[in-house]
Amino acid sequence: MNIAVLPGDGIGSEIIAEALKVLRKLNLPLEMQEAPVGGTGYDVSGDPLPEATLALAKSADAILFGAVGNPKHDHLPRDKRPEQAILGLRKHLGLFANLRPAQVYAELASASALKPEVVAGLDLLIIRELTGDIYFGSPRGIHTNAAGDREGFDTMRYSEPEIRRIAHVGFQAAMKRGRRLCSVDKANVLETSQLWRDIVIDVAKEYPQVALSHMYVDNAAMQLVRAPKQFDVIVTGNLFGDILSDEASMLTGSIGMLPSASLDANNKGLYEPIHGSAPDIAGQGIANPLATILSAAMMLRYSLNQAAAADRIEAAVKRVLASGVRTPDIFVEGTHRVGTQEMGAAVLAAL
Ligand code: IPM
Ligand code: MG
């Protein structure tokens, strides 16, 4: 099994290093090949998504991705900025289905910013459409309007097939879980959302066992912090999903805990923590590697057909958390504070 490893920027290389140790420990026939991406890719080739990196990603069975983004590149034109690397990979590889599970480990309930009783036992899956919407819609740009003022504009756009296929992913995921699907939109204001809602309702006819509900995104943002356990699976568009998944991460105690899978129509996927490159703590050895380690577990499960190995990793993470080992982002009084490498070592030991 060929895995393209793209550590990227900031804490990317630190957290990926720990995930690789975990993968190697499993004694599976994994070929791992690394390539530069993001600001690191730009620095070596003048392109955040170097051609060779894209070729490697295309030829691999799965991609393990760290994070991209570096303030040092913020002055670059948009098409050269590190973020273009991940957006380009998603688009070029057709990775339209983004799975972002948010689970609260019993031991971490007290690390959440919310009351433990609100989040304890939470098990939520956000399915975010990843290759459409205002992220990719055209036209877009900054121009001078008729009044002589500069004006920025983007286009929110979804076609029926795009909505249909992500709706199917949502219903199929709900079938494997609690059979409740909440579709999040802004149909009271946006045409795009009206079409989204109509199509989701149509697709629902094929899944009579799933209870479908709809929620406006502003209400969903509120409900996620008021009573998050009401949700089983949420399906939503690219922009709303970006925002809601960051919000959901805080229910679990830390954004450093959330893995993700971005899948194409054949379950080939890119796996990455949902957090970014965290330049403020890069190089300090304190980043939480668990989101990346759990992303590696998702990779084994979804793209490489190694469910037993994925179970082993997830069980090891649970055991480590139960033992009280904590990186600073999930530290609470009475637990044992460690750095990135010690957390990786603890997971290895638990394996
Ligand atoms: C994410 C990130 C990306 C996004 C950025 C880095 C372009 O926030 O994966 O959620 O907006 O999709
Ligand atoms: Mg985001």
Side-chain angles (χ1 to χ4, degrees):
M1 296 171 272
N2 289 305
I3 302 173
V5 179
L6 314 181
D9 307 323
I11 59 172
S13 53
E14 299 165 53
I15 53 178
I16 285 283
E18 300 313 310
L20 292 184
K21 287 181 203 164
V22 169
L23 285 172
R24 287 198 193 100
K25 180 87 176 175
L26 297 167
N27 286 325
L28 293 170
L30 304 176
E31 282 296 327
M32 298 186 264
Q33 208 176 327
E34 228 173 281
V37 76
T40 315
Y42 176 82
D43 287 345
V44 300
S45 77
D47 184 347
L49 182 53
E51 239 171 76
T53 301
L54 179 59
L56 176 71
K58 279 188 172 158
S59 69
D61 298 310
I63 301 147
L64 188 63
F65 190 93
V68 288
N70 185 336
K72 143 180 148 189
H73 296 105
D74 280 353
H75 67 281
L76 292 170
R78 177 158 315 279
D79 64 327
K80 298 288 181 204
R81 286 176 60 159
E83 290 78 3
Q84 290 308 311
I86 184 64
L87 297 175
L89 280 167
R90 290 170 182 169
K91 197 69 181 175
H92 285 298
L93 299 178
L95 306 171
F96 70 94
N98 187 212
L99 277 46
R100 298 190 160 187
Q103 275 178 28
V104 172
Y105 294 86
E107 298 80 12
L108 289 189
S110 61
S112 170
L114 273 73
K115 295 192 192 100
E117 64 268 27
V118 174
V119 296
L122 176 83
D123 181 3
L124 156 75
L125 175 62
I126 296 184
I127 296 183
R128 167 189 176 194
E129 199 290 330
L130 207 54
T131 52
D133 202 357
I134 196 163
Y135 267 58
F136 293 98
S138 62
R140 58 184 289 161
I142 301 174
H143 69 182
T144 304
N145 66 17
D149 297 315
R150 285 205 305 155
E151 190 174 79
F153 57 100
D154 298 273
T155 304
M156 180 176 272
R157 191 182 274 275
Y158 265 125
S159 69
E160 177 161 351
E162 284 177 303
I163 301 170
R164 225 168 250 289
R165 67 179 178 177
I166 195 70
H168 278 288
V169 174
F171 282 105
Q172 281 159 18
M175 285 296 289
K176 291 190 198 137
R177 296 174 38 108
R179 301 199 168 180
R180 285 178 299 121
L181 180 67
C182 179
S183 169
V184 171
D185 62 37
K186 188 71 185 173
N188 51 345
V189 178
L190 302 172
E191 303 296 332
T192 318
S193 282
Q194 186 57 58
L195 181 69
W196 175 283
R197 188 174 285 217
D198 292 348
I199 292 171
V200 171
I201 289 172
D202 192 46
V203 173
K205 294 179 193 146
E206 295 175 47
Y207 302 91
Q209 303 97 319
V210 175
L212 171 67
S213 61
H214 304 273
M215 203 178 270
Y216 298 137
V217 62
D218 51 347
N219 185 25
M222 179 183 74
Q223 296 298 336
L224 267 179
V225 289
R226 192 188 71 86
K229 283 187 260 182
Q230 70 186 279
F231 297 108
D232 176 19
V233 181
I234 288 177
V235 65
T236 189
N238 204 344
L239 180 64
F240 300 156
D242 178 45
I243 299 166
L244 294 181
S245 59
D246 264 32
E247 187 188 6
S249 75
M250 273 301 119
L251 307 172
T252 71
S254 167
I255 196 165
M257 293 297 302
L258 256 71
S260 78
S262 305
L263 304 175
D264 74 2
N266 306 311
N267 282 344
K268 170 167 170 172
L270 179 150
Y271 299 81
E272 58 173 328
I274 83 151
H275 61 69
S277 55
D280 54 324
I281 60 163
Q284 296 178 34
I286 58 170
N288 185 347
L290 292 181
T292 313
I293 291 171
L294 291 168
S295 298
M298 288 187 90
M299 174 174 82
L300 292 164
R301 187 183 308 284
Y302 288 99
S303 288
L304 303 178
N305 247 322
Q306 300 288 331
D311 287 345
R312 281 187 65 200
I313 295 179
E314 286 162 3
V317 168
K318 276 199 187 115
R319 211 165 315 142
V320 167
L321 292 172
S323 75
V325 174
R326 299 281 191 279
T327 42
D329 56 307
I330 48 176
F331 176 78
V332 287
E333 223 40 67
T335 60
H336 176 50
R337 188 196 293 256
V338 300
T340 311
Q341 294 188 7
E342 292 146 289
M343 181 56 101
V347 175
L348 279 189
L351 265 182

